[in-house]
Amino acid sequence: MKASFAIVGCGRVGCALAGQMQRAGYRPAGLASKSLSSARDAAEQLGTELFSDKPWEVTKHADVVFITTPDGQIENAASLLADKQGVKKNAVVLHCSGSQPSTILSVLKPCGVSIGSLHPLQSFASKQMEGNPFENIIAAIEGEPDAVAMASRIATDLSATCLTIRTDAKTAYHAAAVVASNYLVAIQDLAFRLLALAGIPPENAFPVLGPLIQGTVANIKKVGTQKALTGPIVRGDTDTVRTHVHEIRRLAPDLLSLYQCLGRHTVLVAESGGNINEEKAAELLALLSES
Ligand SMILES: NC(=O)c1ccc[n+]([C@@H]2O[C@H](COP(=O)([O-])OP(=O)(O)OC[C@H]3O[C@@H](n4cnc5c(N)ncnc54)[C@H](OP(=O)(O)O)[C@@H]3O)[C@@H](O)[C@H]2O)c1
């Protein structure tokens, strides 16, 4: 028989987890949230009457407790469960934050539980329980051995792929995810603004650059970052880089520092891939550091 579970925080991730865990055969011990209405709505979707705005009432019988409050509330929620003796001995308590380590649940250690985190590397936009948002995504897992074992079983049962990481690596892991997703958006915004300087309006920017973006991503997947790099920097074409710098300074000086900053990292990629020598790299870096 699969473990019973409780959810504390019936928001987007809490609801998705509850729906999918039940479908995977885990038994709901109850759902709790700050507001009773959120807990009740989630319980209705799940078809259970076990809900409360007093988390310790639903967590005390659960084999695994998920704290899916906003990051800033995880420690408070854990403290409340500890104060109320709201977890059973040998239970596993997990949170789902990408940036916070499992050790923020340490206040629960005297209750005899195993603590960990399971971060679904996915964007959850709604509280709907339909479909499986965990399918084929990465679930980054860390924490104490029993918690890691339980989290890995759950992730596998939800059709996610487990990535076990070190607790002290959580911040670097999350920074990587932010760069891969959020900074990609910021870089495309820079590209769209530069395209606007060429007279191409924002609504046409993706049709123009989309195939290039998708081709580049496909190349990274196929051959890795160093070999996927094309363009003036990897060719050592300082004249072209110089004209870019001058033209951006003339037309949109506020965009220059970001162009140069990304360019300097591109020089490092080109140099470490053996495409340009140290001297050429120094020349390019000087151009890309001009104020
Ligand atoms: N959304 C994502 O894309 C995503 C992706 C990966 C990981 N995560 C992580 O998943 C966790 C939850 O994020 P989310 O996006 O699902 O947040 P959310 O949609 O804002 O839901 C959080 C829920 O927790 C409830 N809550 C707040 N404080 C509480 C407390 N002290 N005790 C009990 N319940 C409390 C909220 O209040 P009410 O009861 O008032 O509704 C709300 O329903 C976070 O750690 C986040 O970093 C999120």
Side-chain angles (χ1 to χ4, degrees), residues 8-15 32-39 53 55 67-71 73-74 76-77 80 95-99 118-125 127 174:
V8 179
C10 296
R12 289 163 291 185
V13 169
C15 287
S33 210
K34 192 169 69 178
S35 67
L36 193 60
S37 59
S38 290
D53 57 357
I67 300 184
T68 49
T69 65
D71 286 8
Q73 284 297 313
I74 295 171
N76 287 346
L80 189 61
H95 71 68
C96 292
S97 165
S99 63
L118 183 165
H119 176 240
L121 197 46
Q122 168 71 291
S123 178
F124 295 82
K127 289 185 180 186
H174 190 245

Side-chain angles (χ1 to χ4, degrees), residues 5-266:
F5 70 94
I7 302 283
V8 179
C10 296
R12 289 163 291 185
V13 169
C15 287
L17 263 176
Q20 211 48 46
M21 285 192 63
Q22 190 183 48
R23 256 171 245 139
Y26 292 86
R27 295 165 290 122
L31 305 166
S33 210
K34 192 169 69 178
S35 67
L36 193 60
S37 59
S38 290
R40 185 189 301 114
D41 291 349
E44 261 170 30
Q45 281 201 68
L46 209 62
T48 174
E49 289 177 358
L50 303 167
F51 64 90
S52 178
D53 57 357
K54 301 179 184 66
W56 60 93
E57 288 183 347
V58 303
T59 55
K60 63 186 173 198
H61 303 299
D63 300 320
V64 53
V65 174
F66 279 95
I67 300 184
T68 49
T69 65
D71 286 8
Q73 284 297 313
I74 295 171
E75 264 183 298
N76 287 346
S79 296
L80 189 61
L81 294 185
D83 286 350
K84 301 284 185 184
Q85 297 290 307
V87 282
K88 71 178 185 184
K89 198 162 183 282
N90 298 326
V92 163
V93 183
L94 301 167
H95 71 68
C96 292
S97 165
S99 63
Q100 299 297 316
S102 54
T103 43
I104 61 167
L105 302 174
S106 296
V107 67
L108 283 162
K109 284 305 299 164
C111 304
V113 301
S114 182
I115 56 175
S117 73
L118 183 165
H119 176 240
L121 197 46
Q122 168 71 291
S123 178
F124 295 82
S126 83
K127 289 185 180 186
Q128 289 313 307
M129 293 186 187
E130 292 136 21
N132 180 5
F134 300 92
E135 194 169 0
N136 296 329
I137 67 162
I138 291 292
I141 292 165
E142 56 82 31
E144 296 181 321
D146 286 352
V148 167
M150 173 66 87
S152 302
R153 267 198 304 280
I154 292 170
T156 304
D157 286 341
L158 300 189
S159 305
T161 300
C162 299
L163 171 73
T164 310
I165 59 170
R166 296 193 323 270
T167 299
D168 66 0
K170 200 82 197 270
T171 304
Y173 153 81
H174 190 245
V178 165
V179 170
S181 173
N182 310 158
Y183 285 17
L184 179 62
V185 175
I187 288 172
Q188 296 318 316
D189 185 76
L190 172 66
F192 291 4
R193 284 168 195 247
L194 292 173
L195 209 58
L197 300 176
I200 296 165
E203 62 273 21
N204 290 343
F206 194 80
V208 170
L209 292 178
L212 177 64
I213 297 165
Q214 282 154 353
T216 306
V217 171
N219 285 340
I220 294 170
K221 184 176 177 193
K222 212 187 307 172
V223 296
T225 50
Q226 286 175 349
K227 288 194 178 139
L229 193 58
T230 59
I233 289 179
V234 80
R235 287 198 302 269
D237 181 354
T238 43
D239 288 343
T240 298
V241 176
R242 184 178 294 106
T243 57
H244 286 182
V245 169
H246 290 177
E247 192 68 348
I248 296 170
R249 183 181 288 123
R250 188 175 74 82
L251 295 174
D254 54 318
L255 301 181
L256 184 58
S257 67
L258 181 54
Y259 176 90
Q260 289 179 306
C261 177
L262 291 166
R264 290 196 295 275
H265 191 79
T266 309

